[in-house]
Amino acid sequence: MKQEQLILHERPNGLPDENTFQFKEVEVGEANDGQVLLKTLYVSVDPYMRGRMSDRDSYIEPFQVGEPLAGGVVAQVVESKTDQLEKGDIVRGNLPFQEYLVVQPDTVSKVNTNGLNPSVALGALGMPGLTAYFGMMHIGEPKKDETVVVSGAAGAVGQIAGQLAKKAGARVVGIVGSEKKAAYITEELGYDAAVEYKKGDVKQQLKEACPNGIDVYYENVGGEIGDAVWPLLNDFARIPVCGAISSYNLKEGEQDIGLRIQPFLIKSHAKMQGFIVGDFADQFGEAYKFLAEGVSNGELKFEETIKEGFKTIPDAFLGLFTGENIGKQLVKVADEE
C-alpha cells in the first residue's frame, strides 16, 4: 500500500515557498516483532521548524534535504507487535511527516486526553502548553498586581501563558495582529488589554496599556515588538524568551538589527533568559498535571486552527508567518478508527 510523505526539497532563502516542500509516494512499512504501525491523525506545525530548514548550528539538528520533515504527531496504533501498546491506543511523538509510521514503542508516549479531541496533546497539553508553563511560571514568575506583557498572545504558547499570569493575579496585556485576535484574548481568555501591532505606533499603544510599566515580558516575537518593550521595563523585570518569529525568514546576508538592549537591562536590573522546553524535561510531570487539571475543568481555555488533509501541511506552516492561526495550528490527516 502506498502513502504520502512530506520531504524537504530544498533549503529556503527567506520565506519558504512551493519549492521548499515535496510530496513523495512511498510504501507503508510492516511492523516487525517489538514494533507498532501507526496511522497519523494530527500533525503539528510550529515556527521553530523554519530554523531546522536551514543548515546552521542550533539547539536541534537541521532537516536534511530529500528526507522527511518531522515534528509533533498524534497517531493511533493500527497494528501492534509489542505488549507495550495495544491496537487503538493514541500516542504522541516527534515523528516524520507521513501518513503511516512503523516505530519502536519507546519513541512515542501514550496519551490520555480525558475525552477531549486527541489534537489537544499537540497544543494546550503538548509542547506549547509546557513552553508557556515553564517560561511564565519558572522564569517570568508573575506576582499579584504586576503587569505582564505577552507577544504572540493569541498563538499556541501565548494563549496559555497569558492565562497563567492571570491565575497568578497579574494584570496581563497581549500583543496581537488583528481585531479578531484582540477580541479573543480579552473576551475569551481574560486578558486585561490588547495591543494591535498592525495599527502602528506600538510604543504608544504599549505605553497607554501599561501605565505602570512592565514587570514580565513573555517574548515570542522579537524585532520591533520587543524594541517597544525595553524602555517600559520596571526594576527587576523578568523576560522569558522562547521565540523570535520576526527574524526566522531573513534572507542570507540580512541582519536583524534593533535597539541595543543592554542599557535597558542594566537600568531595570532585568533578568532575560532564553530557553527551550526540553530544559525542564525532568519537571514535565508537574506541568502536565497542572495543565491537564486546568483544561479538564475549563479554567484554561484554548483555541485550535485545524486544516484538513495531509497535503495542506505546507500551507498550514506558512500561515504561521502571516498570522492566519488563532491558537494552535494543526493539520488533521485522518479520523480515529
Side-chain angles (χ1 to χ4, degrees), residues 3-9 17-26 43-45 49 53 63-71 95-101 309-317 331 333:
Q3 64 162 327
E4 291 280 3
Q5 182 184 72
L6 180 61
I7 67 171
L8 179 65
H9 181 240
D17 57 27
E18 65 274 8
N19 295 317
T20 305
F21 310 96
Q22 185 177 50
F23 289 96
K24 184 178 179 181
E25 200 173 69
V26 296
V43 163
S44 172
V45 292
M49 293 170 58
M53 293 177 185
F63 295 129
Q64 297 302 309
V65 174
E67 295 296 322
L69 297 173
L95 301 168
F97 285 175
Q98 54 193 59
E99 293 176 289
Y100 290 87
L101 298 139
F310 190 80
K311 293 277 194 181
T312 67
I313 295 175
D315 287 342
F317 174 71
V331 174
V333 177

Tab-separated table of all heavy atoms in Angstrom, residues 3-9 17-26 43-45 49 53 63-71 95-101 309-317 331 333:
chain	number	residue	atom	x	y	z
A	3	GLN	N	1.615	5.436	0.465
A	3	GLN	CA	1.254	6.540	1.349
A	3	GLN	C	2.039	7.783	0.949
A	3	GLN	O	3.028	7.709	0.227
A	3	GLN	CB	1.563	6.196	2.800
A	3	GLN	CG	3.068	5.994	3.041
A	3	GLN	CD	3.441	6.081	4.499
A	3	GLN	OE1	2.840	6.818	5.267
A	3	GLN	NE2	4.465	5.326	4.903
A	4	GLU	N	1.578	8.946	1.446
A	4	GLU	CA	2.261	10.213	1.180
A	4	GLU	C	3.252	10.519	2.297
A	4	GLU	O	3.007	10.256	3.478
A	4	GLU	CB	1.245	11.357	1.077
A	4	GLU	CG	0.352	11.295	-0.146
A	4	GLU	CD	1.021	11.823	-1.404
A	4	GLU	OE1	2.215	12.180	-1.338
A	4	GLU	OE2	0.350	11.862	-2.445
A	5	GLN	N	4.353	11.133	1.886
A	5	GLN	CA	5.394	11.580	2.799
A	5	GLN	C	5.767	13.007	2.384
A	5	GLN	O	5.777	13.326	1.189
A	5	GLN	CB	6.600	10.639	2.656
A	5	GLN	CG	7.764	10.898	3.554
A	5	GLN	CD	8.918	9.939	3.224
A	5	GLN	OE1	9.563	10.084	2.181
A	5	GLN	NE2	9.153	8.958	4.091
A	6	LEU	N	6.042	13.877	3.345
A	6	LEU	CA	6.436	15.259	3.035
A	6	LEU	C	7.921	15.421	3.302
A	6	LEU	O	8.383	15.229	4.430
A	6	LEU	CB	5.636	16.250	3.880
A	6	LEU	CG	5.953	17.730	3.639
A	6	LEU	CD1	5.654	18.133	2.200
A	6	LEU	CD2	5.173	18.613	4.615
A	7	ILE	N	8.680	15.782	2.257
A	7	ILE	CA	10.126	15.916	2.404
A	7	ILE	C	10.563	17.363	2.181
A	7	ILE	O	9.839	18.176	1.593
A	7	ILE	CB	10.890	14.985	1.431
A	7	ILE	CG1	10.682	15.417	-0.028
A	7	ILE	CG2	10.479	13.531	1.628
A	7	ILE	CD1	11.561	14.676	-1.000
A	8	LEU	N	11.760	17.679	2.665
A	8	LEU	CA	12.391	18.962	2.392
A	8	LEU	C	13.057	18.867	1.023
A	8	LEU	O	14.042	18.151	0.843
A	8	LEU	CB	13.429	19.288	3.469
A	8	LEU	CG	14.182	20.610	3.288
A	8	LEU	CD1	13.224	21.805	3.416
A	8	LEU	CD2	15.312	20.728	4.314
A	9	HIS	N	12.504	19.579	0.044
A	9	HIS	CA	13.009	19.507	-1.323
A	9	HIS	C	14.256	20.361	-1.512
A	9	HIS	O	15.222	19.952	-2.156
A	9	HIS	CB	11.919	19.946	-2.299
A	9	HIS	CG	12.322	19.884	-3.727
A	9	HIS	ND1	12.332	20.992	-4.553
A	9	HIS	CD2	12.745	18.849	-4.489
A	9	HIS	CE1	12.728	20.628	-5.755
A	9	HIS	NE2	12.991	19.343	-5.739
A	17	ASP	N	8.783	28.561	0.161
A	17	ASP	CA	7.780	28.631	-0.899
A	17	ASP	C	7.498	27.229	-1.428
A	17	ASP	O	7.892	26.236	-0.814
A	17	ASP	CB	8.218	29.574	-2.026
A	17	ASP	CG	9.558	29.180	-2.643
A	17	ASP	OD1	9.904	27.971	-2.597
A	17	ASP	OD2	10.260	30.048	-3.177
A	18	GLU	N	6.825	27.149	-2.587
A	18	GLU	CA	6.424	25.834	-3.104
A	18	GLU	C	7.614	24.944	-3.442
A	18	GLU	O	7.480	23.713	-3.501
A	18	GLU	CB	5.537	26.001	-4.348
A	18	GLU	CG	6.212	26.631	-5.551
A	18	GLU	CD	6.174	28.147	-5.539
A	18	GLU	OE1	5.752	28.731	-4.513
A	18	GLU	OE2	6.575	28.760	-6.549
A	19	ASN	N	8.805	25.523	-3.655
A	19	ASN	CA	9.984	24.722	-3.964
A	19	ASN	C	10.628	24.113	-2.715
A	19	ASN	O	11.490	23.242	-2.812
A	19	ASN	CB	11.022	25.570	-4.703
A	19	ASN	CG	10.533	26.011	-6.065
A	19	ASN	OD1	9.949	25.234	-6.809
A	19	ASN	ND2	10.746	27.284	-6.386
A	20	THR	N	10.220	24.599	-1.550
A	20	THR	CA	10.790	24.099	-0.296
A	20	THR	C	10.306	22.680	0.008
A	20	THR	O	11.050	21.858	0.552
A	20	THR	CB	10.400	25.025	0.870
A	20	THR	OG1	10.794	26.365	0.562
A	20	THR	CG2	11.045	24.573	2.167
A	21	PHE	N	9.075	22.401	-0.378
A	21	PHE	CA	8.424	21.145	0.008
A	21	PHE	C	8.190	20.238	-1.199
A	21	PHE	O	8.031	20.711	-2.318
A	21	PHE	CB	7.071	21.437	0.669
A	21	PHE	CG	7.136	22.466	1.758
A	21	PHE	CD1	6.837	23.800	1.499
A	21	PHE	CD2	7.503	22.110	3.048
A	21	PHE	CE1	6.892	24.752	2.501
A	21	PHE	CE2	7.559	23.049	4.060
A	21	PHE	CZ	7.252	24.379	3.784
A	22	GLN	N	8.130	18.948	-0.940
A	22	GLN	CA	7.779	17.995	-1.990
A	22	GLN	C	7.073	16.800	-1.352
A	22	GLN	O	7.498	16.293	-0.309
A	22	GLN	CB	9.030	17.512	-2.725
A	22	GLN	CG	8.728	16.610	-3.912
A	22	GLN	CD	9.997	16.209	-4.651
A	22	GLN	OE1	10.968	15.750	-4.062
A	22	GLN	NE2	9.992	16.407	-5.955
A	23	PHE	N	5.988	16.397	-1.971
A	23	PHE	CA	5.290	15.195	-1.524
A	23	PHE	C	5.851	14.003	-2.289
A	23	PHE	O	6.063	14.065	-3.500
A	23	PHE	CB	3.788	15.325	-1.752
A	23	PHE	CG	3.134	16.307	-0.833
A	23	PHE	CD1	2.914	17.622	-1.230
A	23	PHE	CD2	2.766	15.940	0.459
A	23	PHE	CE1	2.327	18.538	-0.374
A	23	PHE	CE2	2.176	16.845	1.320
A	23	PHE	CZ	1.951	18.151	0.901
A	24	LYS	N	6.067	12.922	-1.561
A	24	LYS	CA	6.665	11.731	-2.141
A	24	LYS	C	5.803	10.528	-1.789
A	24	LYS	O	5.336	10.393	-0.648
A	24	LYS	CB	8.083	11.553	-1.586
A	24	LYS	CG	8.864	10.404	-2.179
A	24	LYS	CD	10.269	10.380	-1.582
A	24	LYS	CE	11.097	9.237	-2.116
A	24	LYS	NZ	12.456	9.208	-1.501
A	25	GLU	N	5.596	9.663	-2.743
A	25	GLU	CA	4.816	8.456	-2.508
A	25	GLU	C	5.758	7.320	-2.141
A	25	GLU	O	6.705	7.029	-2.872
A	25	GLU	CB	4.015	8.092	-3.762
A	25	GLU	CG	2.846	7.165	-3.495
A	25	GLU	CD	1.971	6.949	-4.721
A	25	GLU	OE1	2.460	6.293	-5.671
A	25	GLU	OE2	0.828	7.431	-4.737
A	26	VAL	N	5.503	6.710	-0.991
A	26	VAL	CA	6.350	5.607	-0.516
A	26	VAL	C	5.457	4.485	-0.006
A	26	VAL	O	4.262	4.662	0.226
A	26	VAL	CB	7.308	6.067	0.611
A	26	VAL	CG1	8.283	7.112	0.100
A	26	VAL	CG2	6.520	6.607	1.803
A	43	VAL	N	-1.004	16.431	12.721
A	43	VAL	CA	0.371	16.904	12.602
A	43	VAL	C	0.432	18.335	13.131
A	43	VAL	O	-0.446	19.153	12.843
A	43	VAL	CB	0.837	16.858	11.130
A	43	VAL	CG1	2.071	17.713	10.914
A	43	VAL	CG2	1.125	15.423	10.710
A	44	SER	N	1.459	18.622	13.902
A	44	SER	CA	1.677	19.971	14.417
A	44	SER	C	2.688	20.702	13.548
A	44	SER	O	3.734	20.136	13.199
A	44	SER	CB	2.203	19.897	15.855
A	44	SER	OG	2.592	21.172	16.316
A	45	VAL	N	2.374	21.938	13.177
A	45	VAL	CA	3.369	22.791	12.518
A	45	VAL	C	3.717	23.915	13.490
A	45	VAL	O	2.844	24.515	14.100
A	45	VAL	CB	2.876	23.349	11.168
A	45	VAL	CG1	2.753	22.233	10.156
A	45	VAL	CG2	1.552	24.093	11.299
A	49	MET	N	10.321	25.046	13.318
A	49	MET	CA	10.662	24.203	12.185
A	49	MET	C	11.378	24.986	11.086
A	49	MET	O	12.150	24.414	10.308
A	49	MET	CB	9.412	23.538	11.628
A	49	MET	CG	8.770	22.524	12.563
A	49	MET	SD	7.146	21.967	11.991
A	49	MET	CE	7.578	21.304	10.374
A	53	MET	N	15.029	24.104	8.749
A	53	MET	CA	15.113	24.048	7.285
A	53	MET	C	16.408	24.664	6.775
A	53	MET	O	16.760	24.486	5.604
A	53	MET	CB	13.910	24.766	6.664
A	53	MET	CG	12.595	24.058	6.928
A	53	MET	SD	11.176	24.966	6.253
A	53	MET	CE	9.829	23.942	6.885
A	63	PHE	N	16.849	19.749	9.373
A	63	PHE	CA	16.288	18.754	8.460
A	63	PHE	C	17.295	18.515	7.333
A	63	PHE	O	18.046	19.419	6.942
A	63	PHE	CB	14.981	19.261	7.849
A	63	PHE	CG	13.861	19.448	8.840
A	63	PHE	CD1	13.166	20.649	8.894
A	63	PHE	CD2	13.489	18.431	9.704
A	63	PHE	CE1	12.121	20.835	9.788
A	63	PHE	CE2	12.444	18.601	10.603
A	63	PHE	CZ	11.761	19.811	10.649
A	64	GLN	N	17.270	17.323	6.769
A	64	GLN	CA	18.143	17.003	5.651
A	64	GLN	C	17.355	17.073	4.342
A	64	GLN	O	16.225	16.594	4.261
A	64	GLN	CB	18.743	15.607	5.830
A	64	GLN	CG	19.622	15.480	7.064
A	64	GLN	CD	20.774	16.470	7.069
A	64	GLN	OE1	21.515	16.578	6.100
A	64	GLN	NE2	20.927	17.200	8.167
A	65	VAL	N	17.960	17.681	3.334
A	65	VAL	CA	17.317	17.768	2.021
A	65	VAL	C	17.071	16.353	1.495
A	65	VAL	O	17.955	15.490	1.547
A	65	VAL	CB	18.188	18.572	1.039
A	65	VAL	CG1	17.583	18.539	-0.372
A	65	VAL	CG2	18.332	20.010	1.512
A	66	GLY	N	15.863	16.131	1.001
A	66	GLY	CA	15.490	14.825	0.488
A	66	GLY	C	14.936	13.877	1.527
A	66	GLY	O	14.496	12.770	1.190
A	67	GLU	N	14.950	14.311	2.791
A	67	GLU	CA	14.433	13.490	3.880
A	67	GLU	C	13.130	14.089	4.402
A	67	GLU	O	12.854	15.270	4.216
A	67	GLU	CB	15.453	13.397	5.013
A	67	GLU	CG	16.739	12.677	4.628
A	67	GLU	CD	16.514	11.222	4.279
A	67	GLU	OE1	15.678	10.566	4.950
A	67	GLU	OE2	17.163	10.732	3.334
A	68	PRO	N	12.309	13.287	5.090
A	68	PRO	CA	11.031	13.803	5.575
A	68	PRO	C	11.195	14.914	6.610
A	68	PRO	O	12.130	14.893	7.424
A	68	PRO	CB	10.372	12.577	6.226
A	68	PRO	CG	11.065	11.396	5.648
A	68	PRO	CD	12.469	11.846	5.368
A	69	LEU	N	10.296	15.880	6.545
A	69	LEU	CA	10.165	16.820	7.639
A	69	LEU	C	9.616	16.048	8.845
A	69	LEU	O	9.011	14.982	8.694
A	69	LEU	CB	9.209	17.948	7.267
A	69	LEU	CG	9.633	18.833	6.094
A	69	LEU	CD1	8.513	19.798	5.740
A	69	LEU	CD2	10.907	19.595	6.423
A	70	ALA	N	9.810	16.597	10.023
A	70	ALA	CA	9.340	15.910	11.226
A	70	ALA	C	8.879	16.931	12.242
A	70	ALA	O	9.275	18.102	12.208
A	70	ALA	CB	10.447	15.031	11.810
A	71	GLY	N	8.043	16.480	13.157
A	71	GLY	CA	7.540	17.358	14.207
A	71	GLY	C	6.568	16.604	15.084
A	71	GLY	O	6.511	15.368	15.073
A	95	LEU	N	7.876	12.835	15.158
A	95	LEU	CA	7.961	11.800	14.134
A	95	LEU	C	7.988	12.387	12.735
A	95	LEU	O	7.589	13.542	12.522
A	95	LEU	CB	6.741	10.864	14.260
A	95	LEU	CG	6.555	10.146	15.606
A	95	LEU	CD1	5.179	9.503	15.670
A	95	LEU	CD2	7.651	9.115	15.808
A	96	PRO	N	8.456	11.611	11.746
A	96	PRO	CA	8.428	12.066	10.347
A	96	PRO	C	6.992	12.337	9.890
A	96	PRO	O	6.053	11.677	10.339
A	96	PRO	CB	9.050	10.896	9.583
A	96	PRO	CG	9.848	10.150	10.591
A	96	PRO	CD	9.109	10.291	11.883
A	97	PHE	N	6.867	13.289	8.981
A	97	PHE	CA	5.555	13.632	8.450
A	97	PHE	C	5.199	12.688	7.302
A	97	PHE	O	5.617	12.875	6.157
A	97	PHE	CB	5.536	15.078	7.969
A	97	PHE	CG	5.479	16.099	9.074
A	97	PHE	CD1	5.564	17.454	8.795
A	97	PHE	CD2	5.328	15.714	10.397
A	97	PHE	CE1	5.498	18.394	9.804
A	97	PHE	CE2	5.269	16.655	11.416
A	97	PHE	CZ	5.348	17.999	11.118
A	98	GLN	N	4.442	11.650	7.625
A	98	GLN	CA	3.908	10.738	6.636
A	98	GLN	C	2.639	10.119	7.206
A	98	GLN	O	2.364	10.230	8.402
A	98	GLN	CB	4.927	9.679	6.244
A	98	GLN	CG	5.533	8.886	7.384
A	98	GLN	CD	6.751	8.093	6.925
A	98	GLN	OE1	7.729	8.646	6.440
A	98	GLN	NE2	6.667	6.766	7.082
A	99	GLU	N	1.859	9.493	6.355
A	99	GLU	CA	0.530	9.047	6.769
A	99	GLU	C	0.564	7.835	7.691
A	99	GLU	O	-0.319	7.660	8.533
A	99	GLU	CB	-0.310	8.760	5.526
A	99	GLU	CG	-0.632	10.022	4.718
A	99	GLU	CD	-1.379	9.712	3.449
A	99	GLU	OE1	-0.753	9.147	2.516
A	99	GLU	OE2	-2.583	10.018	3.386
A	100	TYR	N	1.556	6.970	7.516
A	100	TYR	CA	1.720	5.794	8.377
A	100	TYR	C	3.178	5.698	8.812
A	100	TYR	O	4.085	6.092	8.071
A	100	TYR	CB	1.314	4.508	7.655
A	100	TYR	CG	-0.172	4.389	7.413
A	100	TYR	CD1	-0.756	4.939	6.277
A	100	TYR	CD2	-0.999	3.729	8.330
A	100	TYR	CE1	-2.127	4.848	6.051
A	100	TYR	CE2	-2.366	3.619	8.116
A	100	TYR	CZ	-2.922	4.185	6.975
A	100	TYR	OH	-4.279	4.090	6.769
A	101	LEU	N	3.394	5.159	10.003
A	101	LEU	CA	4.739	5.074	10.543
A	101	LEU	C	4.924	3.752	11.276
A	101	LEU	O	4.034	3.301	12.004
A	101	LEU	CB	4.984	6.211	11.546
A	101	LEU	CG	4.913	7.629	11.002
A	101	LEU	CD1	4.200	8.533	11.987
A	101	LEU	CD2	6.306	8.149	10.710
A	309	GLY	N	-6.398	17.489	5.810
A	309	GLY	CA	-5.710	16.790	4.740
A	309	GLY	C	-4.199	16.914	4.778
A	309	GLY	O	-3.662	17.997	5.043
A	310	PHE	N	-3.515	15.814	4.531
A	310	PHE	CA	-2.051	15.770	4.588
A	310	PHE	C	-1.418	16.798	3.652
A	310	PHE	O	-0.391	17.404	3.978
A	310	PHE	CB	-1.579	14.358	4.219
A	310	PHE	CG	-0.122	14.111	4.478
A	310	PHE	CD1	0.325	13.817	5.758
A	310	PHE	CD2	0.805	14.165	3.450
A	310	PHE	CE1	1.680	13.584	6.006
A	310	PHE	CE2	2.152	13.926	3.678
A	310	PHE	CZ	2.593	13.643	4.961
A	311	LYS	N	-2.036	17.035	2.501
A	311	LYS	CA	-1.467	17.944	1.501
A	311	LYS	C	-1.477	19.404	1.954
A	311	LYS	O	-0.847	20.254	1.332
A	311	LYS	CB	-2.257	17.835	0.194
A	311	LYS	CG	-2.125	16.500	-0.521
A	311	LYS	CD	-0.869	16.431	-1.363
A	311	LYS	CE	-0.919	15.244	-2.334
A	311	LYS	NZ	0.319	15.148	-3.147
A	312	THR	N	-2.214	19.707	3.021
A	312	THR	CA	-2.293	21.104	3.467
A	312	THR	C	-1.188	21.482	4.450
A	312	THR	O	-1.139	22.619	4.923
A	312	THR	CB	-3.659	21.394	4.131
A	312	THR	OG1	-3.760	20.666	5.367
A	312	THR	CG2	-4.810	21.017	3.208
A	313	ILE	N	-0.285	20.564	4.770
A	313	ILE	CA	0.760	20.860	5.758
A	313	ILE	C	1.600	22.076	5.362
A	313	ILE	O	1.813	22.973	6.192
A	313	ILE	CB	1.659	19.629	6.009
A	313	ILE	CG1	0.847	18.506	6.655
A	313	ILE	CG2	2.838	19.995	6.916
A	313	ILE	CD1	1.608	17.201	6.834
A	314	PRO	N	2.102	22.194	4.118
A	314	PRO	CA	2.881	23.390	3.780
A	314	PRO	C	2.102	24.687	3.963
A	314	PRO	O	2.636	25.666	4.502
A	314	PRO	CB	3.250	23.162	2.305
A	314	PRO	CG	3.252	21.674	2.152
A	314	PRO	CD	2.127	21.203	3.018
A	315	ASP	N	0.844	24.727	3.532
A	315	ASP	CA	0.035	25.936	3.685
A	315	ASP	C	-0.174	26.266	5.161
A	315	ASP	O	-0.137	27.441	5.551
A	315	ASP	CB	-1.321	25.763	3.001
A	315	ASP	CG	-1.221	25.814	1.488
A	315	ASP	OD1	-0.199	26.316	0.975
A	315	ASP	OD2	-2.157	25.350	0.821
A	316	ALA	N	-0.410	25.241	5.968
A	316	ALA	CA	-0.603	25.466	7.401
A	316	ALA	C	0.670	26.040	8.019
A	316	ALA	O	0.618	26.967	8.844
A	316	ALA	CB	-0.985	24.162	8.086
A	317	PHE	N	1.820	25.512	7.621
A	317	PHE	CA	3.088	26.002	8.146
A	317	PHE	C	3.329	27.451	7.742
A	317	PHE	O	3.667	28.301	8.575
A	317	PHE	CB	4.231	25.112	7.656
A	317	PHE	CG	5.603	25.624	8.036
A	317	PHE	CD1	6.025	25.575	9.353
A	317	PHE	CD2	6.444	26.159	7.080
A	317	PHE	CE1	7.279	26.060	9.712
A	317	PHE	CE2	7.695	26.641	7.428
A	317	PHE	CZ	8.119	26.590	8.744
A	331	VAL	N	-2.831	20.192	11.501
A	331	VAL	CA	-3.383	19.587	10.296
A	331	VAL	C	-3.985	18.248	10.681
A	331	VAL	O	-3.301	17.410	11.297
A	331	VAL	CB	-2.299	19.385	9.218
A	331	VAL	CG1	-2.873	18.604	8.030
A	331	VAL	CG2	-1.758	20.725	8.744
A	333	VAL	N	-5.040	14.743	9.582
A	333	VAL	CA	-4.675	13.845	8.496
A	333	VAL	C	-5.698	12.732	8.328
A	333	VAL	O	-6.032	12.330	7.197
A	333	VAL	CB	-3.273	13.260	8.750
A	333	VAL	CG1	-2.881	12.247	7.673
A	333	VAL	CG2	-2.231	14.378	8.821
